[in-house]
Amino acid sequence: MKVNEEHSSIRIGTLRQLLGFILAFVLVFGLLSTAIAAESATATDMRLQSTTGTVSLKNASGKSVSIRTGMKLYSGYTLSTSSKSYAYVSLDSTKAVKLDASTKVQVKKSGSKLELLVSSGKLFFNVSAPLSSSETLNIRTSTMVTGVRGTSGVVSVEGADSSSVDIYDGTVTVNASSGSVTLSVTAGESLSVSGSGTASTELTASDIPGFAAVEIAGDESLQERIESASGLDVGAVVSGAEDRLASDEAEAEAAQAALDEAAEELNGGSGQLP
């Protein structure tokens, strides 16, 4: 009788140990799954990586938001840069964009579908790995929508009804907003889209603006991609990157000074617009 009781006690103890092990396993697995899910959920978060100069941020309601390095950018947020000011946005580890000076961009996100609305200025984009079949990254202006999958280049807004895209490596698809025209732009090409139509030209190293050139100069893998895909003189881009940026900034400053002077003369020296 005592033997049976001892066997029963052993079985109960073993069962308790087994249940304890199962519960511990479930707890650890649950915590691990939560961590993995959290990491996956933030993989395509848009974050303000850094800023230089004067940069402003507004939420979807138009209210100013305090800027912090690494902060998450929610759908509807709008970034604006002043003269000699730049902003870097990371979409995940393989997607990054840089706002040029005097640029305004609104970010939008719905799941894995990302969109950047450029209303003024220039935007440099660098997608180092092709997007998955479930992802989209569109860069929209008033005249076109550029679908990016794995490439680098610059989108520029040149006026109320004119914009362009320059491609440094890879290929993008561009849809003109004025109609059903869909065009493919590949490495070493530039496409302009305006109210009067489209025009395609061949890029040269001198066409790369300074704010993008300094990013290329600091990324050897990007240099290799561009040189291999487009045949552009990357060496010239790298060696003259800082000078080109300084020249672009000086040119923009001179243009703004001329506008300010014209406005002042128009208003009899008051310096204020009517």
Side-chain angles (χ1 to χ4, degrees), residues 164-228:
S164 64
V165 58
D166 299 344
I167 299 302
Y168 304 151
D169 81 290
T171 301
V172 299
T173 299
V174 177
N175 292 298
S177 302
S178 59
S180 57
V181 179
T182 300
L183 299 169
S184 180
V185 188
T186 192
E189 294 181 343
S190 174
L191 176 70
S192 296
V193 181
S194 66
S196 58
T198 63
S200 180
T201 58
E202 185 176 342
L203 282 176
T204 66
S206 61
D207 294 320
I208 299 178
F211 88 105
V214 294
E215 298 307 310
I216 296 171
D219 189 335
E220 291 186 1
S221 63
L222 178 57
Q223 294 170 29
E224 294 174 359
R225 283 162 46 200
I226 294 174
E227 192 165 38
S228 174

Side-chain angles (χ1 to χ4, degrees), residues 10 41 44-45 49 76 99 102 123 133-134 136-137 139 143 187 204 238 249 253 261:
I10 292 172
T44 55
D45 282 349
Q49 185 175 342
L99 279 66
S102 303
L123 179 75
S133 58
S134 63
T136 61
L137 172 57
I139 302 176
T143 64
T204 66
V238 171
E249 290 180 339
E253 192 172 29
E261 183 178 352

